[in-house]
Amino acid sequence: MADSAQAQKLVYLVTGGCGFLGEHVVRMLLQREPRLGELRVFDRHLGPWLEELKTGPVRVTAIQGDVTEAHEVAAAVARAHVVIHTAGLVDVFGRASPETIHEVNVQGTRNVIEACVQTGTRFLVYTSSMEVVGPNTKGHPFYRGNEDTLYEAVHRHPYPCSKALAERLVLEANGREVHGGLPLVTCALRPTGIYGEGHQIMRDFYRQGLRLGGWLFRAIPASVEHGRVYVGNVAWMHVLAARELERRAALMGGQVYFCYDGSPYKSYEDFNMEFLGPCGLQLVGARPLLPYWLLVFLAALNALLQWLLRPLVLYAPLLNPYTLAVANTTFTVSTDKAQRHFGYEPLFSWEDSRTRTILWVQAAGSSAQ
Ligand SMILES: NC(=O)C1=CN([C@@H]2O[C@H](COP(=O)(O)OP(=O)(O)OC[C@H]3O[C@@H](n4cnc5c(N)ncnc54)[C@H](O)[C@@H]3O)[C@@H](O)[C@H]2O)C=CC1
Ligand SMILES: CC(C)CCC[C@@H](C)[C@H]1CC[C@H]2[C@@H]3[C@H](O)CC4=CC(=O)CC[C@]4(C)[C@H]3CC[C@]12C
């Protein structure tokens, strides 16, 4: 990535490149990274859509592999210039065991770092999460905070615990000497709740609304603000951060950045209605229909049922004590750190993000019937 070799073509590796965010990062790199020579897409499950990308001018290499297998990661990382590590087990519903979540998110990240060190790859962008900060177990609001806002980050749930540990590993690895003697440069991006084309929970809410005759029922007060960011902007931020890491290594190395854009501050449900409303659904109730204590009870009941039924069947509904606490606690960011450090501006306006998401929900919903 030296100035003298401006025409040099770079090798990028995207772990988790077939996931919701990963696919957008892959497509964004192909559209917006002129120095891209080869794009390696590493995932446990490869998507069939990768095939169509292989006919373009950039060499796209699909690698089926597991981040928990150090040798598979090392082989994929070898001779790559930049790694964007988005692979992760996103589970707040109790589908996977805490051990598996830790193994994928923490050991997987450790394997990526060690592979960079062993093979001489110098630039690593890690997809972290707002969840490494909060909401915390005490339900303290984080109101339009930034990367420097003081907040008591206390976690018990395996997912935020794993993301926090993995983020720390990535930040501590900044400056380590990689094979060849140069320092590793790392940074971590922390998206809030991502939405957009491919967002499965949004699609599930839409299908549930259709099943209920076009109605959804408010569960969370409209006053609780939940941070959301469009997937195309999160992908763009990854591409820009990866591009700028060398030139601005001293400034960006070891730093964290919230992912943000012009999406409005709203409650989780009111925000979803920005897309589900134009698709024909209605949110019933200006206030939650059920009292909060009843939701707490139902969430606890779900947790108990999950535990009791585990030997027989996987019971993993959306509502559990953790998801209720997250949905019911204000957590929004207001920052310009990514703009100041590496010139990030959202690529998609709120209107674009909204339209694209609506079109996707409509298509995803109709294909379900
Ligand atoms: N969805 C969201 O709202 C947010 C997600 N994030 C983070 O963004 C990243 C991507 O998340 P999403 O795209 O939403 O999830 P996703 O589940 O759609 O994508 C994750 C990808 O990682 C792959 N993967 C999982 N375990 C793997 C393993 N052992 N080896 C190789 N690949 C593996 C999956 O196959 C999948 O393609 C994750 O690191 C997540 O923690 C952060 C903040 C918010
Ligand atoms: C019926 C309930 C009252 C409402 C359920 C909504 C929940 C399923 C979702 C509310 C908030 C979401 C989480 C939030 O956006 C932050 C996240 C960040 C991540 O890194 C991963 C995903 C998630 C934990 C996201 C998951 C779904 C919610 C809990």
Side-chain angles (χ1 to χ4, degrees):
M1 285 166 86
D3 285 348
S4 57
Q6 269 193 340
Q8 185 196 1
K9 289 293 182 186
L10 303 178
V11 179
Y12 273 66
L13 168 70
V14 180
T15 71
C18 293
F20 167 39
L21 172 61
E23 178 176 346
H24 284 266
V25 172
V26 164
R27 292 185 186 277
M28 187 65 73
L29 279 168
L30 290 169
Q31 284 164 19
R32 301 249 168 195
E33 183 43 68
R35 293 183 305 167
L36 190 63
E38 181 189 348
L39 177 54
R40 299 181 188 161
V41 182
F42 182 96
D43 205 298
R44 218 150 78 96
H45 305 288
L46 296 177
W49 53 271
L50 276 175
E51 289 307 312
E52 96 210 20
L53 304 184
K54 290 186 179 166
T55 54
V58 171
R59 179 169 167 202
V60 176
T61 313
I63 307 169
Q64 182 168 25
D66 190 326
V67 288
T68 66
E69 297 293 339
H71 64 283
E72 294 183 4
V73 178
V77 170
R79 289 174 302 282
H81 296 95
V82 183
V83 176
I84 299 181
H85 176 41
T86 78
L89 192 46
V90 184
D91 181 19
V92 290
F93 307 111
R95 292 179 188 137
S97 70
E99 294 74 25
T100 307
I101 293 173
H102 183 92
E103 185 66 12
V104 173
N105 293 352
V106 183
Q107 187 56 39
T109 301
R110 195 175 278 126
N111 289 343
V112 170
I113 294 167
E114 292 309 320
C116 289
V117 170
Q118 282 163 26
T119 66
T121 296
R122 288 198 53 213
F123 304 101
L124 170 62
V125 176
Y126 172 62
T127 314
S128 181
S129 169
M130 68 179 242
E131 295 265 310
V132 307
V133 180
N136 62 21
T137 47
K138 299 176 180 173
H140 292 156
F142 187 89
Y143 182 73
R144 311 208 181 169
N146 64 28
E147 290 82 354
D148 299 320
T149 302
L150 293 177
Y151 186 80
E152 201 184 333
V154 196
H155 312 292
R156 269 200 299 265
H157 193 279
Y159 174 74
C161 287
S162 71
K163 293 299 286 187
L165 279 173
E167 184 189 91
R168 204 163 70 213
L169 290 177
V170 168
L171 301 180
E172 284 174 359
N174 182 60
R176 267 183 78 181
E177 188 178 306
V178 304
H179 180 76
L182 292 167
L184 180 63
V185 187
T186 67
C187 72
L189 306 188
R190 295 172 171 171
T192 54
I194 307 174
Y195 70 93
E197 304 95 301
H199 185 207
Q200 299 309 313
I201 300 179
M202 184 83 75
R203 193 204 53 194
D204 293 347
F205 273 113
Y206 182 50
R207 291 183 178 168
Q208 189 186 344
L210 291 180
R211 278 197 298 273
L212 295 173
W215 306 103
L216 286 170
F217 300 94
R218 186 185 293 278
I220 303 295
S223 57
V224 176
E225 282 186 0
H226 192 86
R228 304 292 281 270
V229 60
Y230 176 62
V231 66
N233 288 324
V234 180
W236 174 230
M237 207 165 150
H238 281 70
V239 170
L240 263 189
R243 185 187 293 167
E244 295 298 321
L245 259 187
E246 180 180 39
R247 212 154 57 88
R248 309 185 196 216
L251 181 64
M252 293 175 65
Q255 293 289 320
V256 297
Y257 302 93
F258 278 122
C259 297
Y260 56 90
D261 62 13
S263 303
Y265 299 113
K266 287 190 172 227
S267 75
Y268 189 78
E269 290 164 310
D270 286 305
F271 191 85
N272 285 354
M273 288 314 291
E274 290 282 349
F275 320 104
L276 303 180
C279 294
L281 299 197
Q282 286 200 47
L283 183 63
V284 180
R287 294 199 191 145
L289 289 189
L290 300 179
Y292 187 63
W293 65 262
L294 187 53
L295 279 179
V296 172
F297 173 76
L298 292 174
L301 187 65
N302 277 341
L304 179 67
L305 284 173
Q306 179 172 80
W307 183 72
L308 289 174
L309 295 172
R310 191 162 289 259
L312 306 169
V313 66
L314 179 63
Y315 176 68
L318 280 190
L319 180 66
N320 65 44
Y322 183 73
T323 58
L324 179 61
V326 176
N328 198 50
T329 306
T330 286
F331 196 102
T332 46
V333 302
S334 173
T335 174
D336 63 353
K337 184 173 175 184
Q339 193 272 326
R340 285 185 284 110
H341 280 207
F342 54 94
Y344 164 77
E345 294 286 352
L347 196 58
F348 301 92
S349 67
W350 159 239
E351 289 71 28
D352 278 352
S353 311
R354 184 171 176 270
T355 306
R356 285 165 177 265
T357 307
I358 292 169
L359 290 174
W360 178 80
V361 173
Q362 283 169 341
S366 56
S367 67
Q369 286 158 26

